[in-house]
Amino acid sequence: MLLLGELLIGAVLGLIISTTGVGGGVLVLPVLVYLFGMDALAAVATANLLSMLMKISSTGMHFRLGNIPVKRSLMILAVMLPSTLIASYGITYLAAVPAWHNYVQIGINSLIVLAIALSLFIFCTRLFRPEKLAKEQPEKQPASLLNFIIPGTCAGITIGATGVGGGVVMLPILIKYAGMNIKQAIGTSVFVTMLLSGASALAYGQGGYTDVHLALVLGVGSILSIPLAKYLLKTVSDRTFQWVTFGFIVCSAVTMLYRVIVPG
C-alpha cells in the first residue's frame, strides 16, 4: 500500500508538471516536506534527482523536435554548472558542521520561499498579462552570451540551493539574455536543468541526503500519468490548467512560508 501511494503521488505530480509546464521543484518540495516528512536538505536533494529523472524523456522529445540549439545550450550549461555545484557542495559542507546545521535548514527554507514567490510572480504575469511575455521575445539572437553570465550564475545558485527555478526562472532569462525564442527556451531549459539537477543531486547524495528509492518510485509514477496527461491536454482548456496550477503554487508558497515561520 505504501508503494502504491508513492506511485499515485508521483503520477499526480507528473500529471501537473506535464500539463502545465510549471517547474517540478515548486510542487515537489512541499510534498516531500509535508507528506514524506523530509527536512529541507533531504527534500532539495531528492527533488533535484526526481527533476532529472522526469526530464529525461522530455529532453529526447525536444531534441527530436529541433528545439535545443546544442552549441548554445552547452555554453549556457558551462555558465551555470559551476555555481550550481558550488551551491550544492557548499550547503552539504556547512550542514555537516553541527553548529551550522539548523541555520542551513532555515536558510534553505527561506530561499525556497523566495524562489517560489518569484515563480508565482512570473506565473501570474503569464496568467494575467501574457502579452507582456510575448513582447520580451527578441527579434534576433545576440552575438555572445556575455549578458547571460550574471543571471545564469544566479539561476544556477538557485537551482543548486533550492531545487526551484528550472522552468519558471530559466525561461525568462533564456529569452531575455540568451536570445532564444520560446520553443528554444523551453527545450534548452529542460535539457540544461536536467543536467544541473543531476549534478546537484550527486553532490547532495555524497552527503547522504538524497532518497534515491523514493525519487525512483515517484519518477515511475510520473511516467504512468502520461496517457492521462495527453488526454487532458486535448480535452481541457489551457486556461483551466493555468488556474489550477496557480492554486497549487499559492499553496506551495504558503506551506513553505509556514515552514520558515514555524520550523520543525
Side-chain angles (χ1 to χ4, degrees):
M1 291 300 294
L2 178 60
L3 178 60
L4 181 62
E6 293 174 350
L7 288 172
L8 180 60
I9 292 172
V12 172
L13 289 173
L15 182 65
I16 296 171
I17 293 168
S18 60
T19 54
T20 64
V22 173
V26 174
L27 304 175
V28 171
L29 286 169
V31 169
L32 294 178
V33 169
Y34 285 96
L35 293 186
F36 295 98
M38 291 186 175
D39 61 20
L41 279 169
V44 170
T46 305
N48 271 306
L49 178 57
L50 181 58
S51 176
M52 183 198 74
L53 295 174
M54 286 182 169
K55 290 177 179 177
I56 292 175
S57 59
S58 298
T59 296
M61 177 187 69
H62 283 289
F63 264 119
R64 290 192 295 271
L65 292 174
N67 293 337
I68 303 177
V70 177
K71 182 178 179 180
R72 185 167 287 265
S73 297
L74 292 177
M75 293 172 65
I76 289 170
L77 178 64
V79 171
M80 298 182 67
L81 183 59
S83 60
T84 299
L85 290 175
I86 289 173
S88 301
Y89 279 106
I91 287 174
T92 56
Y93 174 78
L94 291 175
V97 180
W100 283 91
H101 186 83
N102 289 336
Y103 294 107
V104 171
Q105 296 279 352
I106 294 173
I108 292 176
N109 281 323
S110 301
L111 286 174
I112 290 173
V113 171
L114 291 175
I116 292 178
L118 177 60
S119 300
L120 183 61
F121 170 76
I122 295 173
F123 187 82
C124 285
T125 302
R126 188 177 73 180
L127 183 62
F128 298 110
R129 299 186 62 188
E131 72 283 353
K132 182 178 180 180
L133 292 181
K135 291 179 181 179
E136 292 180 358
Q137 295 190 36
E139 297 181 358
K140 61 180 181 179
Q141 294 186 349
S144 71
L145 288 175
L146 292 177
N147 293 334
F148 182 80
I149 292 177
I150 294 178
T153 299
C154 293
I157 293 173
T158 302
I159 293 172
T162 68
V164 176
V168 287
V169 173
M170 279 288 290
L171 288 180
I173 67 173
L174 287 175
I175 292 171
K176 185 173 183 179
Y177 297 104
M180 293 185 174
N181 60 45
I182 185 62
K183 290 185 178 180
Q184 290 176 329
I186 292 173
T188 301
S189 173
V190 170
F191 169 60
V192 171
T193 55
M194 177 192 70
L195 298 177
L196 293 177
S197 296
S200 182
L202 178 62
Y204 283 110
Q206 292 179 1
Y209 297 106
T210 305
D211 190 333
V212 177
H213 176 266
L214 179 59
L216 290 173
V217 173
L218 294 177
V220 171
S222 70
I223 295 174
L224 297 177
S225 68
I226 291 177
L228 178 58
K230 290 182 178 179
Y231 172 77
L232 292 176
L233 286 171
K234 293 179 181 179
T235 58
V236 180
S237 68
D238 291 342
R239 196 70 173 176
T240 300
F241 281 125
Q242 289 177 341
W243 278 108
V244 171
T245 307
F246 175 75
F248 275 112
I249 297 178
V250 171
C251 290
S252 296
V254 171
T255 53
M256 294 310 298
L257 179 61
Y258 177 81
R259 184 78 173 183
V260 173
I261 297 174
V262 188

